[in-house]
Amino acid sequence: MASQRGEGETTTTPAEPADRERARAIPEAAVARLAVYLRVLSGMADQGVTAVSSEELSQAAGVNAAKLRKDLSYIGSYGTRGVGYDVEVLVSHIERILGLTRNHSVAVVGIGNLGHALANYGGFPGRGFPVTALFDVDEDLVGIPVGGIPVSHIDDITAVCLEREVSIGVIATPPPAAQSVCDRLVSAGVQCILNFAPVVLQVPDNVEVRKVDLAVEMQILSFHVARRADEAASVSVGNNGLGVDGMVIRP
Amino acid sequence: MASQRGEGETTTTPAEPADRERARAIPEAAVARLAVYLRVLSGMADQGVTAVSSEELSQAAGVNAAKLRKDLSYIGSYGTRGVGYDVEVLVSHIERILGLTRNHSVAVVGIGNLGHALANYGGFPGRGFPVTALFDVDEDLVGIPVGGIPVSHIDDITAVCLEREVSIGVIATPPPAAQSVCDRLVSAGVQCILNFAPVVLQVPDNVEVRKVDLAVEMQILSFHVARRADEAASVSVGNNGLGVDGMVIRP
DNA sequence: CCGACTTTGTGCATGCGTTCACAAGCGGTA
DNA sequence: TACCGCTTGTGAACGCATGCACAAAGTCGG
Ligand SMILES: NC(=O)c1ccc[n+]([C@@H]2O[C@H](COP(=O)([O-])OP(=O)(O)OC[C@H]3O[C@@H](n4cnc5c(N)ncnc54)[C@H](O)[C@@H]3O)[C@@H](O)[C@H]2O)c1
Ligand SMILES: NC(=O)c1ccc[n+]([C@@H]2O[C@H](COP(=O)([O-])OP(=O)(O)OC[C@H]3O[C@@H](n4cnc5c(N)ncnc54)[C@H](O)[C@@H]3O)[C@@H](O)[C@H]2O)c1
């Protein structure tokens, strides 16, 4: 039911494909950072930089240098001691680990405010994520091209997803429709879902979901201001108690 | 320079104001989940639900029940053993901890594809995050209302932010402009930034930044498909075990 | 060819976050 | 009132991630 990480796997690693087997051991947090390193490295490559040290790269990526080296060590040892890393080499290794050696076709469902923005965004194709299908229930939208791609009707989702080999589904519908859309994507064989609707999606174990919840992001920020305000209050007022039943306000 | 967590803090926690002092101890990850619980609880309240058990709530929020109880314990003990939690009570306590007892005015900078979507989105005001200011460099956009709010020129950012008491700045400009916009927001006194541009922002210690990077999200998804594909390959090929050089995985 | 210098890769300790498991506490019932 | 069953709240164990510190490994100048 629940987590099921390593499944059956009685096996230890076979000798040869150490490269990909290694992938399983990469911490989730490190994967997210590898994607950031990749972006930074790509930028450097574009500017003609050919080599980079862990110190430089870590600064550019906004992380600790030791952490960066450890992250890179998860994917192998491709640096040169005393020198640093070859940018090209690193880029290609990270791309391989992240599975970016092939394109991942993306479908956007719900062509409203957000869906339009996503469909019109030019940043995805260049990074290996071409948007190849758009879906909506609204008959008035069906057939109209957005960002160069005509909107399909949601009822055709299975056929279209299979035909265009969609591997990532993006949900940008209103919350009530999200679960149903998700189910449809799953039955169309989509195994990766990026969800913008503020809803907890229910999916089978073999489907990976990531959510982007802007309200939550803002609330986290809100928490930090509140905390900071309280700290300030504690310090300046001397914090002589009184906090009793809570509801302390701002300085 | 770098992290600076607990800083000067020679003080131990004073006795009384346990309520807010507690806030400092809440793990970052728990804060994010609290926001999710809040959303779920609000939905329940709207449907007339008055009480909920940790089991029910955790299922609705998609997390482990024990984790949920621990998360709630960070903000105090407001449940009733043998019964569960009062929805109203929980909502108001979480809101207080997250600093949602007052509104947080939001400014969006960069009214392009994404900026339009954000400005038009109706979900923020209802959650205590009214969008009160929009900025762009494009003269053609300035003055035009989007989502009911006229776009201001980026050069007026300081005055407008101060006037409207903006507490959260959202960056939706092209990457090259992001750092400069960020700097302007900071000098306008904004201490919370939500960044959509794929750029690592440099900010002073007293400013909180959260980033939303869709390309990174997709690359993480990509990693998981690749990993899964490899596992499948390993299994189907037989992978009859006997790992040689160690690196045991999980049972 | 050697020695000094630079930077990687990683073992280890530390801290944070998650999960388990259970005593404590409460409402309901007889 | 006393008991019973249910659910909370949390101590403690575990596992993962972070950061330090240094040996290993390579470059470069002489
Ligand atoms: N716009 C934003 O900035 C923003 C911010 C945060 C979260 N969100 C979330 O993103 C989602 C989309 O937001 P939006 O502002 O674009 O909404 P929207 O109302 O503008 O667009 C929703 C679109 O989905 C379509 N739709 C509805 N039901 C559908 C179904 N069953 N199948 C396919 N399409 C369907 C509608 O026809 C509409 O075109 C919402 O869940 C919202 O909460 C949006
Ligand atoms: N649209 C998406 O779905 C999407 C997805 C992922 C990431 N992003 C990122 O979000 C950002 C915005 O994307 P977009 O598609 O809306 O871009 P866009 O080009 O449509 O809009 C950018 C807007 O910013 C304005 N701008 C430029 N420089 C500015 C400055 N110095 N000050 C104020 N405004 C300025 C432009 O005039 C334009 O209106 C980009 O960094 C992009 O990489 C967007």
Side-chain angles (χ1 to χ4, degrees), chain A residues 35-78:
Chain A
V36 174
Y37 305 153
L38 179 60
R39 193 184 62 221
V40 174
L41 285 165
S42 300
M44 287 177 169
D46 290 348
Q47 290 178 11
V49 178
T50 60
V52 66
S53 73
S54 64
E55 186 60 37
E56 295 167 312
L57 183 52
S58 70
Q59 286 233 322
V63 304
N64 182 302
K67 194 191 309 197
L68 176 130
R69 288 202 298 275
K70 180 146 300 220
D71 287 345
L72 293 184
S73 80
Y74 291 129
I75 66 172
S77 303
Y78 301 112

Side-chain angles (χ1 to χ4, degrees), chain A residues 110-114 136-137 154 172-175 177 181 196-198 214, chain B residues 117-118 121:
Chain A
I111 311 302
N113 288 317
L114 194 54
D136 206 296
V137 266
I154 184 73
T173 65
V181 163
F196 284 89
L214 304 188
Chain B
L118 293 168
Y121 181 52

Side-chain angles (χ1 to χ4, degrees), chain A residues 9 11-14 20-21 28 35 39 98 104 198 206 208 210 213 217 219 222 224 228 230 239 250, chain B residues 14 20 28 35 39 98-99 102 104 198 206 208 210 213 217 219 222 224 228 230 234 239 243 250:
Chain A
E9 300 305 348
T11 64
T12 43
T13 57
R20 284 317 195 83
E21 288 300 328
E28 181 85 9
R39 193 184 62 221
L98 294 183
H104 296 270
N206 65 327
E208 196 78 26
R210 293 194 63 89
D213 193 323
E217 295 296 328
Q219 286 170 4
S222 167
H224 284 293
R228 195 173 289 140
D230 287 343
N239 188 14
R250 6 189 47 246
Chain B
R20 283 319 192 85
E28 181 85 9
R39 193 185 60 221
L98 294 183
R102 73 177 190 87
H104 296 269
N206 64 328
E208 197 78 26
R210 293 195 61 88
D213 192 323
E217 295 297 328
Q219 287 170 3
S222 167
H224 284 292
R228 195 172 289 141
D230 287 344
S234 307
N239 184 13
R250 0 189 58 246

